[in-house]
Amino acid sequence: MSSYTRLNDVINDTLSSPGQTDTFQGPITSTNILAAKVNEIRQHKVNWQSYHHGQMITTEDYNFIEKFDLASDEEKVNIIERKGGYQCAKNLLNLTRHIAKEQIVQYILAMICDLIDRDNAQYKIFYEYGAKAKTTPWTPFLSMLNRQDKAIVYLASTIVAKLAFKGYPGVAMCGADLQFYLSFLKDELKLNNDYVQSTVGCLQLMLRINDYRLAFVELQGVRVLLDFLESNSSKLGFQLNYQIVFCLWELSFNKDIVEKELINHHIVLTLASILRETTKDKVSRIILATFRNLLEKPEDEYVNQAFALHMVQSKLIKHLELMEEKKYDDEEIQDDLKYLSEYLNNKVDDFSTFDVYQTEVRSERLEWSPVHKSDRFWRENAMRLNENNYELLRILNRLLESKMKVVLAVAAHDIGEYVRCYPRGKRIIENLGCKQRVMQLMVDPDPSVRYEALLAVQKLMVHNWEYLGKQLTTLAPS
């Protein structure tokens, strides 16, 4: 089964099977707080007559809601056909505007959610309303995202996502509306509140549409998703981990997003870590499918090789072997495991030591891997740090301001090894500003950082390396 077929199947489940939980079922599911709240809201019995007598709602709106609220699904269809979609939507929206009590607004929004979820196209009444009122179907609900009541906010957000998805491409969200809504979802994700699962659910639905993916990426959404995973993956629970990775999987269907955006983040390292820890097949399945897209979608050979190298460096091959021993019943997992294992095993012999080093530096996650301590590596490859307008040196220079002590130590060490094996590089290092930063690290509180900085500064100033090495042997920290 192709990845696109699987994506379509999941989205169809999202809209038509709200009772299941193995695949994403939309923003309202039995596993999130909003769902529990909606189930509670549905139990209310509203005395519409009291609002009519109190002149809070018009006679027209009262006559509509009194019948519509108690009607069966089939009777609701007949009411809509008889009154017309525009009028029914207008009555519902009037009620949300004219009734101040939050509990009643919640009730009406839950009713609208139910209408949108049904298979009989009742959701189209809001498109009819938008066309006749010269607005968009989601405009009345976007204004509710600034309300204080959280249930109203997230119910409205759910409605916006579903209308924006179901109306595409005929009535597509775009421009200021799209930017406002995706910014709202992104900011809510940063807050990581009790309704975060609903937020991610809305995002899953929006990212089904390629135009919406591109807009989300423009808002730096990828960084927010990965920051969320990296900061919380061990605390989230498998369902939320699954939903966040699902969003990344959706983004990985776009070649340009993979080549220009995902390549610039630590997506492989982050997902490989989750893959090793998870015990849930659905989480493994979505991560493997994302990895496969990262290898299949790029047309740029450099990007393809970089992702493959990231996977090798993340020790993914060994973990794939362990997964293959488990004999999964899931055919998708079996297929992706076979593809990834064969692809990476065929690639691993093609990677040079410099490829490994280059990828590590570009990842900005330096550690004391063997390549840094290899005298042969530096003698053979020091000059290569000049390539691409000193790209790797510029990254190392930036890493000299890292907050991670091991990164500081390794970066200082590599600067020293570069000038040791390529003495002409001293001037380049000075021009890039590396020398000054290395000297500042000589007073760092961490002894290993101080030692590597001192050694690097000595290499920048001294020519007799063998003598220097003997002198520094006694200074090396244990």
Side-chain angles (χ1 to χ4, degrees):
M1 183 185 296
S2 72
S3 294
Y4 277 110
T5 302
R6 283 183 283 179
L7 181 54
N8 282 321
D9 286 348
V10 171
I11 296 299
N12 287 336
D13 285 343
T14 299
L15 297 170
S16 62
S17 307
Q20 300 173 356
T21 56
D22 185 53
T23 54
F24 167 62
Q25 303 304 328
I28 298 182
T29 72
S30 59
T31 56
N32 67 47
I33 288 177
L34 184 60
K37 183 66 176 176
V38 169
N39 289 334
E40 178 186 323
I41 291 167
R42 288 190 180 114
Q43 305 308 312
H44 296 326
K45 300 297 181 185
V46 181
N47 184 356
W48 298 111
Q49 192 174 39
S50 67
Y51 290 96
H52 183 227
H53 286 164
Q55 297 185 336
M56 284 179 276
I57 61 177
T58 66
T59 299
E60 179 185 283
D61 292 337
Y62 167 71
N63 289 337
F64 165 77
I65 194 62
E66 182 73 9
K67 293 178 182 177
F68 197 77
D69 188 16
L70 300 175
S72 65
D73 290 349
E74 186 177 347
E75 289 169 339
K76 281 184 170 69
V77 173
N78 293 333
I79 292 172
I80 290 172
E81 289 178 351
R82 189 168 63 252
K83 290 181 64 69
Y86 165 78
Q87 188 60 48
C88 292
K90 181 183 175 184
N91 292 141
L92 288 168
L93 293 172
N94 282 344
L95 292 168
T96 65
R97 296 187 188 107
H98 298 153
I99 297 177
K101 191 173 182 180
E102 292 172 343
Q103 189 179 55
I104 306 305
V105 177
Q106 294 170 6
Y107 186 87
I108 298 165
L109 292 178
M111 185 185 299
I112 292 172
C113 275
D114 290 341
L115 283 176
I116 295 173
D117 282 340
R118 296 204 175 97
D119 295 331
N120 48 25
Q122 293 179 27
Y123 69 91
K124 290 183 178 178
I125 68 174
F126 296 100
Y127 296 94
E128 293 179 35
Y129 173 83
K132 195 163 183 179
K134 295 188 168 110
T135 184
T136 68
W138 44 79
T139 296
F141 305 103
L142 283 177
S143 63
M144 297 183 190
L145 300 183
N146 295 318
R147 300 273 292 252
Q148 294 298 311
D149 183 85
K150 292 301 182 185
I152 291 176
V153 169
Y154 291 104
L155 278 167
S157 177
T158 296
I159 292 168
V160 171
K162 291 186 176 183
L163 290 175
F165 171 74
K166 285 195 169 189
Y168 190 89
V171 183
M173 184 181 282
C174 59
D177 281 355
L178 183 59
Q179 187 169 24
F180 172 80
Y181 182 56
L182 291 178
S183 295
F184 164 81
L185 294 178
K186 186 186 75 168
D187 293 342
E188 289 298 308
L189 194 58
K190 288 180 182 178
L191 293 176
N192 190 13
N193 60 24
D194 290 342
Y195 289 90
V196 66
Q197 195 169 342
S198 171
T199 299
V200 180
C202 293
L203 193 55
Q204 283 178 270
L205 204 53
M206 293 296 288
L207 295 181
R208 171 66 178 90
I209 307 297
N210 191 53
D211 287 342
Y212 301 164
R213 292 177 201 152
L214 295 172
F216 184 69
V217 169
E218 283 292 315
L219 294 169
Q220 307 301 314
V222 173
R223 180 69 271 160
V224 174
L225 286 172
L226 286 171
D227 282 347
F228 189 86
L229 269 184
E230 290 168 2
S231 303
N232 303 286
S233 63
S234 61
K235 312 169 192 173
L236 293 180
F238 76 90
Q239 179 63 24
L240 198 47
N241 264 331
Y242 170 78
Q243 289 181 235
I244 295 284
V245 178
F246 190 105
C247 291
L248 294 169
W249 176 58
E250 290 175 303
L251 292 171
S252 72
F253 280 92
N254 183 292
K255 173 184 73 71
D256 291 331
I257 292 176
V258 172
E259 293 182 350
K260 298 175 183 177
E261 187 66 26
L262 296 182
I263 189 61
N264 296 321
H265 298 281
H266 308 134
I267 182 171
V268 170
L269 191 62
T270 301
L271 296 189
S273 176
I274 296 172
L275 183 64
R276 282 191 290 270
E277 297 296 326
T278 189
T279 58
K280 298 295 181 178
D281 287 1
K282 64 189 269 185
V283 179
S284 298
R285 182 197 313 134
I286 201 69
I287 292 175
L288 294 175
T290 304
F291 283 159
R292 183 166 184 168
N293 275 358
L294 295 179
L295 296 176
E296 285 187 332
K297 300 305 176 187
E299 295 177 2
D300 186 321
E301 189 174 338
Y302 159 73
V303 173
N304 178 281
Q305 179 163 308
F307 276 126
L309 187 52
H310 289 159
M311 292 178 195
V312 171
Q313 288 181 311
S314 298
K315 300 179 175 58
L316 188 60
I317 292 178
K318 178 62 178 175
H319 189 69
L320 293 176
E321 291 173 357
L322 295 174
M323 291 183 72
E324 286 180 311
E325 292 175 3
K326 291 180 65 175
K327 306 295 183 187
Y328 288 90
D329 293 330
D330 189 313
E331 292 183 5
E332 292 175 7
I333 293 181
Q334 290 179 21
D335 185 44
D336 288 341
L337 275 174
K338 181 180 179 183
Y339 171 85
L340 291 168
S341 295
E342 291 179 356
Y343 189 96
L344 295 178
N345 278 302
N346 289 335
K347 274 279 188 182
V348 69
D349 293 333
D350 297 336
F351 296 137
S352 68
T353 308
F354 186 75
D355 289 330
V356 174
Y357 176 78
Q358 179 174 246
T359 303
E360 183 182 338
V361 173
R362 283 174 172 159
S363 76
E364 301 187 2
R365 296 193 175 192
L366 302 182
E367 56 185 35
W368 286 115
S369 53
V371 67
H372 298 280
K373 295 290 190 178
S374 169
D375 181 69
R376 178 181 175 184
F377 169 79
W378 286 108
R379 291 187 183 279
E380 292 178 353
N381 295 288
M383 281 186 63
R384 297 198 62 184
L385 270 67
N386 299 336
E387 295 175 359
N388 299 322
N389 193 27
Y390 312 111
E391 176 198 4
L392 297 182
L393 289 174
R394 293 178 191 277
I395 296 173
L396 289 172
N397 185 35
R398 187 166 65 249
L399 294 179
L400 291 172
E401 295 182 315
S402 172
K403 297 186 184 304
M404 299 176 64
K405 297 302 182 183
V406 67
V407 172
L408 289 174
V410 176
H413 169 272
D414 288 4
I415 294 291
E417 288 296 270
Y418 166 72
V419 296
R420 177 177 73 86
C421 297
Y422 183 65
R424 293 182 183 178
K426 290 181 183 179
R427 180 167 295 181
I428 296 169
I429 290 299
E430 289 192 25
N431 290 339
L432 291 175
C434 299
K435 182 177 178 180
Q436 184 64 30
R437 290 182 177 177
V438 172
M439 293 180 72
Q440 291 171 352
L441 294 179
M442 292 172 64
V443 294
D444 191 272
D446 187 274
S448 64
V449 174
R450 288 200 307 272
Y451 171 75
E452 295 299 342
L454 173 63
L455 183 53
V457 169
Q458 298 260 18
K459 290 174 182 177
L460 282 162
M461 297 178 175
V462 180
H463 293 282
N464 190 337
W465 308 118
E466 292 182 4
Y467 172 76
L468 175 63
K470 292 176 183 177
Q471 295 298 309
L472 286 170
T473 298
T474 58
L475 297 177
S478 59

